[in-house]
């Protein structure tokens, strides 16, 4: 309602320039009641929808679905750089296309902010990949990095987390394109041949700092304020409670990506009970999550194994596999110069495009990039830098889910390669296909919950009964179902007795 139905910025009589001074809901950014959600490009898309089709929801939904299709295509294209042509790229794309966690972002109109941000996120990343491939060999390389910066800015103007693509680009350049290990980074800084790499990373850092500075200034240099029901942990007086809860929430988000069985339109209030003591058994989940994350990152950065898998084939010490791909797992840094590699192979009649197809990144490289894609875009939602107005929001996982899909794909590929028997290989492949099918079926079922408000609120009773019953009461009252509305309001107050609006409505 606030983003579209009552948003004055969508009306033709409102000067379009107002979009760049107001927040996502049409409130002046400097107003004390503003949520500081500055997403002018998303609001502009709503305005275009309104100009073409008015308040007919069909057009709004069509744009969301088309944007999701475009994002899926771009993500699959990016996966080709990591996995090459073949079924691993297809698996990554299908995982992303079918994942149920995307339902809120695609089926809910306001979720367009996340889809649009992801679209320009990928465009920026692809531009930077082109910059890496042409750096030192073509003047167009600086056009590509300019495009990467502009798309990153557009991504941020769709939603705030879009600016994190600059960090992902740096990770790609260092760990995937140059295939550096952690211990090689410091020594690489002192080599003259790496000046172009340092210059590119410097440009990314400077542009990111400038974007964040302008963003902070534009919203009045003040963080937003939220009610205690939006984020109960942030309002807690206990430092232990805040710490334990905030550390646990990423674990809960990862579980939603891994097993999206229980989804909800709203995770505020008491949907996730606060962790008030160290003895809370959910702390075991937290410990397991961070231990697994650190171990995965450590072994990927270390990369000591001599055996690697490349596009579904096992290779030893960088030898070519049956598909003609070369993985170069333990290359010295001096051999990783793409320019010299191009020069030597171009003498044999190979084009640059063909050479790049031969140089697929190793599993460790992809794991590092996948973890970065999973973690970095999610950081703004962790309450680490500032408090946010939600406990869990499924739409926020739209961009991080790309890292999850890459991580699952590279894990499945590793299992497929390690399996010695044909039966085990088929089992891995069929299990992955079954996972995609189940994700797709869950997405179809979840879309049914988004058919109308009544079905949506009924679906959320299990997770957030107070909020769901209260909203359901409002819907039933608007349908003149007075006795049912009264019962819904009483149910809401049963779970949370201090809701003034529910008492008033009752």
């Amino acid at each position: 309602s606030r983003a579209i139905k009552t948003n004055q910025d969508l009306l033709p009589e409102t000067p379009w320039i107002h979009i760049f001074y107001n927040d996502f809901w049409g409130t002046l950014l400097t107003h004390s009641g503003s949520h500081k959600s500055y997403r002018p490009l998303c609001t502009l898309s709503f305005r275009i929808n309104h100009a073409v089709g008015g308040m007919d929801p069909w057009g709004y939904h069509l744009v969301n679905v088309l944007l999701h299709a475009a994002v899926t295509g771009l993500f699959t294209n990016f996966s080709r750089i990591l996995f090459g042509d073949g079924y691993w790229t297809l698996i990554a794309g299908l995982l992303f296309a079918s994942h149920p966690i995307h339902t809120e972002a695609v089926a809910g109109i306001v979720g367009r902010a996340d889809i649009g941000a992801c679209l320009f996120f990928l465009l920026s990343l692809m531009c930077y990949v082109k910059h890496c491939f042409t750096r030192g060999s073509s003047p167009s390389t600086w056009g590509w990095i300019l495009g990467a910066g502009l798309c990153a800015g557009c991504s941020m103007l769709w939603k705030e987390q879009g600016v994190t693509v600059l960090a992902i680009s740096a990770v790609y350049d260092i760990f995937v394109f140059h295939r550096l290990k952690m211990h090689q980074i410091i020594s690489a800084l002192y080599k003259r041949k790496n000046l172009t790499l340092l210059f590119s990373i410097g440009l990314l850092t400077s542009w990111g700092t400038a974007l964040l500075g302008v963003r902070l200034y534009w919203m009045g240099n003040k963080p937003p304020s939220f009610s205690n029901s939006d984020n109960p942990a942030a309002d807690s007086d206990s430092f232990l409670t805040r710490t334990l809860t905030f550390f646990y929430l990423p674990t809960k988000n990862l579980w939603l990506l891994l097993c999206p069985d229980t989804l909800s339109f709203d995770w505020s209030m008491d949907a996730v009970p606060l962790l008030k003591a160290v003895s809370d058994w959910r702390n075991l989940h937290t410990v397991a999550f961070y231990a697994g994350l650190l171990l995965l990152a450590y072994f990927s950065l270390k990369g000591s194994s001599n055996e690697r898998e490349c596009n579904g084939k096992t290779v030893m010490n960088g030898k070519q596999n049956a598909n003609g791909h070369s993985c170069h797992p333990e290359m010295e840094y001096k051999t990783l110069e793409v320019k010299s590699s191009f020069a030597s192979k171009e003498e044999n009649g190979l084009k640059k495009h063909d050479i790049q197809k031969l140089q697929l990144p190793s599993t460790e490289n992809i794991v590092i990039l996948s973890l970065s894609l999973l973690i970095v875009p999610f950081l703004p939602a962790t309450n680490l830098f500032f408090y946010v107005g939600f406990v869990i929001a499924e739409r926020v996982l739209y961009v991080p889910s790309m890292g999850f899909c890459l991580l699952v794909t590279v894990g499945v590929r590793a299992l497929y390669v390690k399996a010695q028997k044909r039966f085990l290989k088929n089992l891995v492949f069929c299990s992955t296909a079954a996972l995609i099918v189940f994700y797709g079926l869950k997405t179809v079922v979840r879309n049914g919950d988004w058919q109308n408000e009544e079905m949506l609120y009924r679906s959320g009773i299990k997770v957030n009964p107070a909020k769901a019953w209260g909203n359901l009461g409002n819907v039933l009252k608007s349908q003149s179902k007075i006795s049912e509305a009264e019962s819904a309001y009483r149910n809401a107050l049963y779970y949370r007795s201090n809701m003034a609006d529910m008492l008033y409505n009752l």
Side-chain angles (χ1 to χ4, degrees):
S1 295
R2 287 186 61 198
I4 299 173
K5 289 184 178 179
T6 61
N7 193 341
Q8 298 298 309
D9 288 340
L10 270 62
L11 302 178
E13 56 267 23
T14 304
W16 65 271
I17 198 69
H18 284 195
I19 292 173
F20 294 91
Y21 291 93
N22 297 336
D23 66 13
F24 190 49
W25 318 105
T27 306
L28 195 65
L29 270 173
T30 53
H31 191 275
S32 59
S34 172
H35 275 203
K36 312 295 184 184
S37 302
Y38 187 58
R39 302 160 191 173
L41 293 186
C42 185
T43 306
L44 187 61
S45 74
F46 290 153
R47 179 162 178 152
I48 295 171
N49 259 134
H50 186 274
V52 174
M55 286 296 175
D56 183 2
W58 188 87
Y60 294 85
H61 285 291
L62 176 64
V63 172
N64 275 29
V65 173
L66 291 176
L67 284 173
H68 179 58
V71 170
T72 302
L74 279 173
F75 173 72
T76 307
N77 193 38
F78 176 69
S79 300
R80 287 180 65 234
I81 300 171
L82 306 177
F83 299 111
D85 295 322
Y87 42 76
W88 302 119
T89 296
L90 178 64
I91 286 173
L94 289 174
L95 278 170
F96 184 83
S98 63
H99 204 294
I101 206 70
H102 299 153
T103 311
E104 179 178 345
V106 181
I109 300 301
V110 294
R112 185 183 299 179
D114 296 89
I115 311 174
C118 191
L119 178 70
F120 281 93
F121 187 103
L122 284 167
L123 286 173
S124 176
L125 188 55
M126 293 296 287
C127 284
Y128 193 80
V129 169
K130 288 285 188 180
H131 164 72
C132 292
F133 287 158
T134 58
R135 185 168 46 201
S137 62
S138 172
S140 65
T141 186
W142 303 114
W144 286 117
I145 198 170
L146 176 62
L150 291 175
C151 287
C154 290
S155 184
M156 190 184 75
L157 293 177
W158 273 91
K159 194 168 185 180
E160 297 79 6
Q161 66 184 142
V163 72
T164 58
V165 68
L166 298 174
I168 303 301
S169 298
V171 170
Y172 172 85
D173 202 352
I174 295 170
F175 294 107
V176 178
F177 186 78
H178 282 87
R179 296 180 172 89
L180 289 177
K181 300 301 177 187
M182 204 65 181
H183 65 274
Q184 294 175 312
I185 294 177
I186 302 300
S187 59
L189 296 176
Y190 298 98
K191 296 182 179 180
R192 288 188 61 186
K193 63 183 178 182
N194 298 321
L195 287 177
T196 54
L197 168 63
L198 293 175
F199 188 65
S200 297
I201 301 300
L203 285 176
L204 292 175
T205 305
S206 301
W207 184 237
T209 304
L211 286 176
L212 290 174
V214 172
R215 172 73 172 80
L216 185 63
Y217 169 78
W218 206 249
M219 70 183 216
N221 296 314
K222 293 180 182 178
S225 57
F226 304 101
S227 66
N228 60 351
S229 63
D230 291 333
N231 191 346
D235 194 59
S236 175
D237 294 328
S238 170
F239 175 76
L240 179 64
T241 298
R242 291 198 304 272
T243 303
L244 292 178
T245 304
F246 287 150
F247 272 106
Y248 170 73
L249 289 179
T251 308
K252 183 69 175 178
N253 279 276
L254 180 65
W255 181 249
L256 288 177
L257 284 171
L258 188 63
C259 183
D261 177 52
T262 302
L263 300 175
S264 176
F265 72 97
D266 194 294
W267 290 83
S268 63
M269 297 184 178
D270 300 319
V272 180
L274 300 179
L275 282 76
K276 298 181 179 180
V278 178
S279 58
D280 193 314
W281 62 272
R282 289 175 294 171
N283 287 314
L284 295 176
H285 295 172
T286 305
V287 172
F289 167 72
Y290 288 104
L293 203 63
L294 289 174
L295 285 173
L296 192 59
Y298 172 75
F299 286 112
S300 298
L301 290 169
K302 186 180 178 182
S304 59
S305 175
N306 287 330
E307 184 179 280
R308 296 294 182 270
E309 55 271 4
C310 186
N311 206 27
K313 296 289 182 180
T314 304
V315 295
M316 293 289 291
N317 295 325
K319 293 179 181 179
Q320 277 193 335
N321 62 25
N323 291 337
H325 296 305
S326 179
C327 275
H328 310 290
E330 296 296 330
M331 260 191 220
E332 293 298 327
Y333 182 71
K334 64 182 180 180
T335 65
L336 295 175
E337 268 197 298
V338 179
K339 183 179 178 181
S340 61
S341 175
F342 282 163
S344 61
K345 294 189 178 182
E346 278 181 328
E347 291 175 2
N348 297 326
L350 285 175
K351 296 180 180 179
K352 289 184 179 182
H353 178 71
D354 298 326
I355 296 165
Q356 286 301 345
K357 286 180 67 176
L358 297 176
Q359 297 183 333
L360 294 176
S362 67
T363 294
E364 285 80 3
N365 301 139
I366 302 174
V367 169
I368 294 169
L369 182 65
S370 302
L371 287 175
S372 301
L373 259 173
L374 180 64
I375 296 169
V376 177
F378 183 71
L379 285 178
T382 59
N383 295 276
L384 183 63
F385 304 106
F386 48 82
Y387 292 141
V388 295
F390 54 84
V391 178
I392 292 174
E394 294 164 15
R395 60 189 177 277
V396 171
L397 294 173
Y398 190 87
V399 175
S401 68
M402 293 191 293
F404 172 80
C405 293
L406 290 176
L407 205 56
V408 170
T409 304
V410 75
V412 169
R413 188 183 72 173
L415 286 174
Y416 185 87
V417 169
K418 296 294 182 184
Q420 299 297 322
K421 297 181 179 179
R422 194 72 207 171
F423 167 75
L424 294 177
K425 289 183 180 291
N426 290 336
L427 181 63
V428 170
F429 198 77
C430 291
S431 299
T432 307
L435 178 66
I436 293 170
V437 170
F438 283 129
Y439 274 177
L441 291 174
K442 176 62 178 179
T443 300
V444 172
V445 172
R446 182 60 178 158
N447 266 272
D449 295 335
W450 282 85
Q451 287 293 320
N452 55 61
E453 285 186 316
E454 182 176 348
M455 295 178 69
L456 182 64
Y457 297 147
R458 288 190 186 279
S459 71
I461 291 174
K462 181 181 177 181
V463 174
N464 192 346
K467 188 73 169 283
W469 278 118
N471 287 348
L472 183 59
N474 294 336
V475 172
L476 293 171
K477 185 179 67 172
S478 68
Q479 296 173 355
S480 299
K481 299 178 180 178
I482 303 304
S483 60
E484 293 181 46
E486 180 182 347
S487 176
Y489 287 139
R490 292 191 184 278
N491 286 337
L493 291 167
Y494 171 80
Y495 289 100
R496 193 177 179 91
S497 59
N498 63 344
M499 293 193 294
D501 51 346
M502 293 302 106
L503 289 165
Y504 175 82
N505 290 343
L506 182 60

